[in-house]
Amino acid sequence: QVQLVESGGGSVQAGGSLRLSCAASGYTYSSNCMGWFRQAPGKEREGVAAIYTGGGSTYYADSVKGRFTISQDNAKNTVYLQMNSLKPEDTAMYYCAAEMLAPCVSGLDRYEYNYWGQGTQVTVSS
């Protein structure tokens, strides 16, 4: 059973940084599409960033390009989301998602993913 556990959320002021972690367990595959999504109250869940752990290709939403960086540590089965220059509009619940043994298609479409974590809250104040 694949399990994803997010951590690293919190409250920061605008311009600050946070690093989210997604620890995955319950599988041994090394070539997966791993994504980060976020959902603010009253809004749809949107893709933020994704990475294909088999080759390292990355994908970003336009709204976070140049500010967020997704990375992987295959030895730890962990994917990270480094978030810099945070803005109040980045405030949301952030979710990790995984699709096993598959490259990312767009990486930012929630329907690409079968496994989800419980989420970690990020709040950015102005």
Side-chain angles (χ1 to χ4, degrees):
Q1 181 75 7
V2 176
Q3 290 188 321
L4 305 173
V5 178
E6 303 97 333
S7 62
S11 297
V12 295
Q13 290 191 325
S17 299
L18 285 172
R19 188 177 81 155
L20 305 183
S21 300
C22 172
S25 62
Y27 68 94
T28 57
Y29 317 123
S30 60
S31 299
N32 314 301
C33 183
M34 304 288 294
W36 283 99
F37 288 73
R38 66 187 182 188
Q39 188 167 18
K43 294 189 175 181
E44 294 284 325
R45 188 170 297 191
E46 63 171 349
V48 174
I51 187 167
Y52 175 53
T53 62
S57 298
T58 57
Y59 309 81
Y60 293 97
D62 288 343
S63 58
V64 305
K65 280 181 182 176
R67 300 189 299 122
F68 291 11
T69 303
I70 190 169
S71 62
Q72 63 186 83
D73 184 335
N74 283 348
K76 296 182 179 181
N77 275 355
T78 300
V79 172
Y80 303 98
L81 185 68
Q82 178 67 44
M83 305 186 296
N84 298 329
S85 302
L86 282 161
K87 304 175 181 180
E89 51 263 44
D90 294 317
T91 295
M93 185 72 79
Y94 283 70
Y95 297 91
C96 178
E99 176 64 9
M100 299 291 106
L101 286 175
C104 301
V105 179
S106 78
L108 303 180
D109 182 346
R110 61 181 177 174
Y111 297 108
E112 290 185 44
Y113 298 90
N114 284 321
Y115 300 98
W116 293 85
Q118 294 299 307
T120 185
Q121 178 68 37
V122 171
T123 303
V124 185
S125 57
S126 57

